[in-house]
Amino acid sequence: MWRREAPHDLAALLRRHGDLADCEDAVQLALLAAAEQWPRDGLPDSPRAWLRAVASRRLIDGIRADVARRTREERAARLEEPLRGDRGAPAGDPARSSEDGEDLLPLLLLCAHPSLTPASQTALMLRAVGGLRTAELAACFFVPESTMAQRISRAKARLRADGARLPAPTGEDLPLRLHAVRHAVSALYAQDHSLAERGRGTDRLLGDAAVRVARAMLAARPADPESAGLLALLLLTHARAPARLDADGEIVPLLIQDRSRWDHALVREGISLVERTLPVGPVGPFQLQAAIAAVHAEAATSDATDWPQILVLYRMLADLEPTPAVLLGLAVATAEVEGPHAGLDLLAMHPPLSHRHEAVTGHLLARLGREEEARAAFLRAAERTRSPSEQRYLRRLASAATVPEPDDAP
C-alpha cells in the first residue's frame, strides 16, 4: 500500500509546495503515523486520502517550525487555507488521483530535471514513485548505501537550489526529460525482477507500478512512439512474469517456460501497440526492444522463434543504442542464425562487464562441446551476480553435461 499510495500523495503535495525534500519528509511522517494508528484504529475508508491529509498537516507544521522568516510563514498560511479542518480527503482535492497513475508523470518529470545527472535522476524517480528504500537503490546501482544516501540528498538540494517546481516542463526541455523518465521506468521494472529473484517471490508490485506509470506517460502524450514502445515492452515482459520462477522460486529460462501461464491479454495488448507504432515516425530503442519481445511472444514454442527477424531488429538496436545488454542480445541472435562461433566472435570484441556476458559465453561454449570452458564461464558468472537464484541456476549449468539455450529476451 505504501508503494502504491505514497507517490500520489507526494505529487499532490508538490502541486501546492514545490520543495521535493520537504514534501517527501511529510509523506514519510504520514507513513509513520499510519504504522502507529492503523493497527490500533483500523484501516481508514480511503487510505490515500488519510495519508494525504496527515502529510499535508505535517508539511505545514514543518514549514512553520523550520524557518521563521516571513516568506516561509506566508507560504504556510497559503497552504493551510484549503487544508484546514481536513480529517479525510483534503478540501478542494478529494483524492482525485485515480489508480491509473495519471498524476505521476509530473512528479517523474520533476525528478528528471536537467540539472541532475542521469544516475541521480533515475535514483530520485525510483525513490519517489517506486518507493524503493535507500538500500534497495544502492543494490540497483551497485554502490554502497552511504553513497546512494548522499546522491539522493544532493539531488534534492540541487532541485531546491534551482527552484525546480511543478507543473511539468514544456517546449524543448520536455523531450529530454521524457527520455530520462522512460529509462527510469524501465529501471523500475528491472528492479522488480531483481527483487523477485533475490527472495521476494513473485510479488509484482514494482512491475505493476512501472506498467501503470508507462500507461500514464502514453496517455499524457499519445503521439509519442517511444512512450508507446516502452509500454509495449513492459506489457510483453510483464506477461511472462507468472512463468519466470518455479514453485521453489528458482529461475525458469524462456526456452522452457510454460507459455500457457503467460498473461495472453497483456501479450495481445503489447503486440497491438508495436504494430501501431512501428510504422509511424522515427523508430527508437524502446520500440525496437518491444518488437523483439513481440517476436518472442508470437512464437507458440521456443523452436518456432523467428531468429532471423530478431537478428535484424538487434542490429538496428545496436546502431541506435550499443549498450552491453544490447550487444549480448545481438551475440545470442547471431549465434542462433549464424552459429555459436559467430556469437562468440562478437562477444570477444567486448570486455565481460557483467555476469550475463560470462553466462552467454558459457551457453555458446557448451553448444560447441567445449564443456570445461563452459563450466568455467558459468562459475565466473555465478561469482559475479548478486542474485542467489541466479547463482544457483548458473552453478546447476556448470555441473550439467548439457545446457539450455541462452535467454536473451528483453
Side-chain angles (χ1 to χ4, degrees):
M1 181 176 293
W2 166 243
R3 280 182 166 148
R4 184 176 66 245
E5 304 296 353
H8 297 276
D9 294 325
L10 180 57
L13 291 187
L14 278 167
R15 282 194 294 269
R16 291 192 177 93
H17 174 71
D19 190 281
L20 177 61
D22 286 350
C23 293
E24 188 178 44
D25 288 346
V27 173
Q28 294 278 357
L29 289 171
L31 172 65
L32 290 175
E36 293 175 355
Q37 296 183 36
W38 290 0
R40 182 185 67 234
D41 302 335
L43 197 67
D45 293 335
S46 175
R48 180 180 300 179
W50 191 98
L51 286 168
R52 187 170 304 178
V54 173
S56 298
R57 289 194 289 271
R58 295 293 189 274
L59 177 60
I60 294 169
D61 292 343
I63 291 174
R64 285 173 168 163
D66 188 30
V67 180
R69 292 180 302 173
R70 181 178 179 82
T71 56
R72 299 283 280 187
E73 291 290 351
E74 289 175 347
R75 185 185 298 172
R78 287 196 301 271
L79 281 168
E80 184 174 14
E81 186 59 32
L83 300 169
R84 183 175 292 129
D86 186 349
R87 309 300 289 184
D93 187 29
R96 70 172 188 83
S97 302
S98 63
E99 289 293 334
D100 63 4
E102 64 185 6
D103 62 348
L104 300 185
L105 182 57
L107 174 57
L108 286 164
L109 291 172
L110 174 68
C111 295
H113 194 275
S115 67
L116 303 179
T117 65
S120 293
Q121 289 175 343
T122 302
L124 208 56
M125 289 183 233
L126 294 179
R127 182 181 178 91
V129 175
L132 271 65
R133 300 188 301 271
T134 303
E136 292 171 334
L137 285 171
C140 186
F141 284 83
F142 303 105
V143 298
E145 186 173 348
S146 59
T147 300
M148 180 53 62
Q150 292 173 358
R151 183 177 298 175
I152 293 292
S153 296
R154 285 196 298 266
K156 292 178 183 177
R158 171 58 63 185
L159 290 179
R160 176 180 291 170
D162 289 352
R165 296 288 185 271
L166 268 61
T170 57
E172 296 180 357
D173 189 32
L174 183 57
L176 292 175
R177 293 212 201 182
L178 284 171
H179 178 76
V181 170
R182 282 191 289 265
H183 280 276
V185 174
S186 177
L188 175 61
Y189 191 85
Q191 180 71 351
D192 181 66
H193 283 201
S194 176
L195 292 177
E197 291 176 1
R198 293 182 193 191
R200 292 198 174 188
T202 56
D203 181 4
R204 301 169 66 182
L205 184 57
L206 289 183
D208 290 340
V211 171
R212 190 166 63 249
V213 174
R215 288 189 187 280
M217 289 186 66
L218 185 58
R221 293 182 61 83
D224 182 1
E226 273 292 82
S227 292
L230 171 65
L231 177 58
L233 173 63
L234 296 192
L235 291 173
L236 291 165
T237 308
H238 209 43
R240 299 198 301 263
R244 192 168 287 115
L245 301 176
D246 65 16
D248 297 323
E250 300 296 338
I251 295 173
V252 181
L254 177 62
L255 176 72
I256 59 175
Q257 282 180 12
D258 180 357
R259 299 188 178 212
S260 67
R261 297 185 61 198
W262 291 0
D263 188 328
H264 292 283
L266 292 183
V267 169
R268 289 190 294 272
E269 184 182 359
I271 291 175
S272 176
L273 271 172
V274 171
E275 291 174 343
R276 291 204 311 268
T277 59
L278 273 181
V280 180
V283 176
F286 281 108
Q287 292 165 271
L288 290 172
Q289 291 179 69
I292 292 169
V295 176
H296 280 288
E298 288 174 325
T301 66
S302 59
D303 291 337
T305 303
D306 188 347
W307 283 106
Q309 184 179 359
I310 289 177
L311 178 57
V312 170
L313 292 168
Y314 262 121
R315 284 172 173 166
M316 295 172 63
L317 182 56
D319 287 338
L320 289 177
E321 199 170 72
T323 65
V326 170
L327 295 174
L328 283 181
L330 176 60
V332 171
T334 300
E336 291 294 332
V337 177
E338 301 176 4
H341 277 298
L344 284 171
D345 288 342
L346 277 179
L347 290 176
M349 297 170 61
H350 306 282
L353 299 178
S354 73
H355 72 281
R356 298 190 187 279
H357 188 288
E358 298 283 13
V360 172
T361 299
H363 282 292
L364 299 184
L365 288 169
R367 287 175 58 181
L368 292 170
R370 296 159 60 177
E371 293 182 0
E372 289 303 319
E373 294 174 85
R375 290 190 183 99
F378 287 134
L379 289 174
R380 288 195 301 270
E383 291 173 356
R384 297 183 67 173
T385 181
R386 300 186 180 189
S387 165
S389 58
E390 280 192 333
Q391 290 171 354
R392 292 191 296 270
Y393 171 68
L394 290 164
R395 285 171 181 151
R396 287 199 304 272
L397 294 183
S399 63
T402 59
V403 296
E405 300 297 321
D407 180 357
D408 78 296

